[in-house]
Amino acid sequence: MRVLIVGGGVAGLAAARGLTAAGHDVEVYEESPEPRTEGGSVSLWPAGVGILREFKVDLDGAGRRLEALTNLSVRGRTLGTIDLTEVERHFDGLPSLHIARRELVERLAEGVPVRHGQTVTGVDPDRAELTFADGSTARGDVLLGADGRRSVVQRALSGGNPSRPNGWVTWQAFTTAPADVVDADRSLMVSNGRSLGSIAPAGHGRALWWFDLRAKPGGRFWGDAPDIMDRLRERFGHWPEPFRTVLERAETAQFYPHHVHRVPSVWGRGPTTLLGDAAHTMPPAMAMGSGQALEDAWALTRSLDDLRAYERTRAKTVRRVARMVGTEMPSRQGPLTALVPDARSTRSYIKWLRSASDYFQEGRR
């Protein structure tokens, strides 16, 4: 089949790799004049790593393999740890990786021809046809909208953007210090029940730190405030190391509002469907967005000839994941994590990762 993909991010590139390997003629159209490598980092749980390996993505030296997720109290006491080496053993040696989004996109893009600078001005979902700003057109047997939360393909299908802010935001940035964190194999999290701080190594001498908190438009933590680092230091400067050092050294941070998205049972029409954020935007609270996009791409390689079946199958899983992630649960837990033994937390995490993955439920029984 001739497959047109709008969007050259994680979802679009992954679908292009998988479908090309399956023997389809794939064309990717990206509005940006250059590869879209902006953003922070991505956590890839075992299913995502397994899918990337199936798609022949070179992961040698990519990001940082994580061995633990450790929760600290606001005073620095260890509350609990999820053993990711046990998670890895359970999933047949597939590791958990934390990787800069730039590196993931660059590795996905290897060998994938992407037409950059292609602004889509018209979409005919029933004919799988695109019209571009220069007046040219393209038509395929299948059209995939992988163009993010403000998807032009999604608008053509339903007439609007179904995502909405949920009142939470993230402030984040990369850091090269402290060295014992950058070179570690664990992610650290601190929550006071109202906000979350986290830092995780991303490989190549860097780590990403971030704070999730409630914020309203026009408020102290909304938008590109020039004194945002002073505000973050005031709010979180008393939190334990490494957060104090990170905040002292940071000069700026990136702002990302969280969005939620009601996931319908049917995403497309005729020869057109959606994947990734275009189909199911979700907050970053449990690091599921990119993983679910990879799951979409994997599922499409198995059911490109029945797009409604793809949507129904994926909707069941994604709806459950989006509902859980939308609670912003990691930010709300706080000291309650100390009440759960580490072994039980690890078993619960394994169960959660399996339930969040069609790749494990359907593809690796």
Side-chain angles (χ1 to χ4, degrees):
M1 293 187 188
R2 187 183 187 210
V3 183
L4 309 185
I5 300 176
V6 180
V10 172
L13 293 172
R17 290 186 72 102
L19 293 171
T20 298
H24 300 287
D25 178 16
V26 180
E27 296 179 6
V28 181
Y29 301 95
E30 168 56 46
E31 182 177 25
S32 172
E34 299 176 346
R36 291 197 294 113
T37 55
E38 73 282 353
S41 59
V42 172
S43 293
L44 295 174
W45 309 119
V49 173
I51 291 168
L52 289 173
R53 288 182 177 176
E54 280 199 18
F55 289 174
K56 308 300 181 185
V57 178
D58 179 14
L59 294 176
D60 186 31
R64 190 81 181 191
R65 173 179 170 270
L66 295 179
E67 296 186 356
L69 301 176
T70 298
N71 287 282
L72 304 177
S73 74
V74 174
R75 295 184 178 182
R77 181 170 64 93
T78 298
L79 299 177
T81 296
I82 293 174
D83 183 357
L84 293 180
T85 64
E86 178 61 28
V87 174
E88 184 174 325
R89 285 191 291 271
H90 182 85
F91 290 115
D92 301 325
L94 292 173
S96 299
L97 296 179
H98 191 238
I99 182 173
R101 186 181 182 280
R102 171 183 290 274
E103 184 178 10
L104 176 59
V105 168
E106 289 174 346
R107 290 183 180 240
L108 277 168
E110 291 175 359
V112 178
V114 181
R115 299 189 184 185
H116 289 97
Q118 297 291 309
T119 300
V120 176
T121 57
V123 178
D124 186 340
D126 300 305
R127 290 165 52 88
E129 187 173 57
L130 300 171
T131 301
F132 301 97
D134 62 4
S136 63
T137 62
R139 186 175 179 183
D141 300 306
V142 174
L143 172 60
L144 305 180
D147 46 339
R149 183 172 58 83
R150 294 182 289 272
S151 168
V152 296
V153 180
Q154 196 279 331
R155 286 202 303 271
L157 286 164
S158 65
N161 183 345
S163 67
R164 59 178 176 80
N166 73 345
W168 288 78
V169 303
T170 294
W171 285 98
Q172 66 179 33
F174 283 102
T175 182
T176 57
D180 60 339
V181 173
V182 170
D183 297 331
D185 295 312
R186 65 172 181 166
S187 172
L188 297 176
M189 294 180 289
V190 175
S191 173
N192 61 5
R194 300 182 304 277
S195 51
L196 169 78
S198 189
I199 184 167
H204 313 291
R206 297 197 304 170
L208 189 86
W209 61 263
W210 65 94
F211 292 97
D212 294 345
L213 65 158
R214 288 187 178 276
K216 296 180 180 180
R220 283 175 50 79
F221 293 97
W222 188 278
D224 296 324
D227 62 343
I228 186 58
M229 291 312 307
D230 291 334
R231 299 181 187 186
L232 290 173
R233 292 184 190 107
E234 179 184 348
R235 176 77 174 264
F236 300 106
H238 66 286
W239 282 23
E241 293 291 3
F243 298 98
R244 293 173 187 167
T245 297
V246 162
L247 286 172
E248 287 172 1
R249 299 189 180 193
E251 297 180 359
T252 187
Q254 296 173 309
F255 168 74
Y256 293 97
H258 296 191
H259 289 79
V260 292
H261 182 155
R262 186 185 65 82
V263 181
S265 298
V266 176
W267 306 340
R269 186 172 73 240
T272 299
T273 192
L274 305 170
L275 67 158
D277 283 352
H280 43 70
T281 299
M282 62 185 69
M286 300 178 75
M288 283 285 150
S290 293
Q292 292 303 309
L294 293 173
E295 294 266 354
D296 291 344
W298 176 81
L300 277 167
T301 65
R302 296 161 62 92
S303 58
L304 192 66
D305 57 345
D306 191 346
L307 298 181
R308 302 297 84 79
Y310 150 75
E311 293 163 3
R312 289 191 299 270
T313 299
R314 288 294 297 136
K316 291 178 182 178
T317 299
V318 174
R319 189 179 295 119
R320 180 171 58 251
V321 173
R323 187 163 47 242
M324 176 67 78
V325 173
T327 67
E328 302 281 353
M329 185 177 66
S331 299
R332 299 174 185 271
Q333 285 181 325
L336 293 177
T337 54
L339 302 177
V340 182
D342 289 353
R344 181 177 175 184
S345 294
T346 300
R347 289 194 300 271
S348 295
Y349 205 67
I350 290 171
K351 183 178 179 180
W352 158 246
L353 291 178
R354 182 172 291 280
S355 72
S357 172
D358 290 318
Y359 176 72
F360 283 133
Q361 294 183 61
E362 301 296 332
R364 291 173 63 88
R365 287 180 174 174

